[in-house]
Amino acid sequence: GAAVKAGRIPAVLSANASFTGSDASLADLQALARKGVIRRYMVIERGGLRFGIFGSLGKEAMIYTSGGPTTFADPTESAKQVVKILRETEKVDVVIALSHGGVEKGPNGSYQSGEDVQLAMTVPGIDVVISGHSHTELNEAIIVNGQTPVVQTGKESRNLGELVIALDGN
């Protein structure tokens, strides 16, 4: 709330968080959701393209947030719902998931699994996954299903990543 009063702040995106309920501690979150500061997704237009961006908290990360009145729906099912809205109603060209699910190192030492890789595998229509939670510094994108990059830049803002994508018309 204090940050909102101080000036414009970027939206907090969370497709699977719910602040419903009558617990008094939810009042501020409910007010921020009503003001659109906290929302499931947002659409931005750049260079004639529409980008749909949504946020998601992964299952392992939910463990660290449990115990309070905020509840979290299944990240995969929430993502499917939001992607459908972004594609069909909002008519976006690109869908970007900001996911706090993480990636995991496989037996061969490469990063090819984890909640954010699973998200890209199981939710059709996501074009890019910007991953978090595992604090993994990926120097190359993990390419899922031959087309969806999953990227992560490490932890504590130590790195800045740049991802260049090309659209092929499909």
Side-chain angles (χ1 to χ4, degrees):
V4 174
K5 290 177 187 163
R8 186 172 171 241
I9 65 167
V12 174
L13 303 177
S14 183
N16 64 330
S18 175
F19 313 114
T20 58
S22 57
D23 191 292
S25 64
L26 289 172
D28 287 341
L29 292 170
Q30 290 167 342
L32 291 171
R34 279 192 303 275
K35 291 178 183 173
V37 175
I38 301 173
R39 57 180 108 155
R40 295 182 76 193
Y41 67 87
M42 68 184 301
V43 176
I44 59 173
E45 293 192 39
R46 298 289 188 275
L49 294 174
R50 291 174 57 80
F51 294 85
I53 306 168
F54 73 94
S56 181
L57 188 69
K59 290 179 182 176
E60 185 180 275
M62 286 180 205
I63 295 167
Y64 299 105
T65 62
S66 64
T70 301
T71 58
F72 297 92
D74 179 79
T76 302
E77 291 310 310
S78 298
K80 286 177 181 177
Q81 292 169 8
V82 171
V83 169
K84 182 177 168 76
I85 293 167
L86 290 170
R87 292 286 182 193
E88 295 177 10
T89 305
E90 299 286 356
K91 306 288 189 207
V92 301
D93 301 295
V94 178
V95 173
I96 300 170
L98 307 177
S99 181
H100 201 85
V103 297
E104 296 174 8
K105 191 179 282 190
N108 66 356
S110 69
Y111 289 94
Q112 295 295 320
S113 63
E115 286 189 45
D116 288 337
V117 172
Q118 278 302 120
L119 185 70
M121 280 183 186
T122 57
V123 181
I126 296 176
D127 296 303
V128 176
V129 177
I130 310 293
S131 177
H133 182 62
S134 57
H135 298 179
T136 308
E137 186 178 323
L138 295 173
N139 293 314
E140 297 288 329
I142 301 168
I143 305 298
V144 178
N145 297 334
Q147 65 184 22
T148 305
V150 176
V151 296
Q152 192 177 146
T153 60
K155 62 182 179 180
E156 300 168 350
S157 301
R158 292 184 184 167
N159 304 297
L160 178 64
E162 180 181 39
L163 176 67
V164 178
I165 62 171
L167 302 179
D168 66 2
N170 296 318

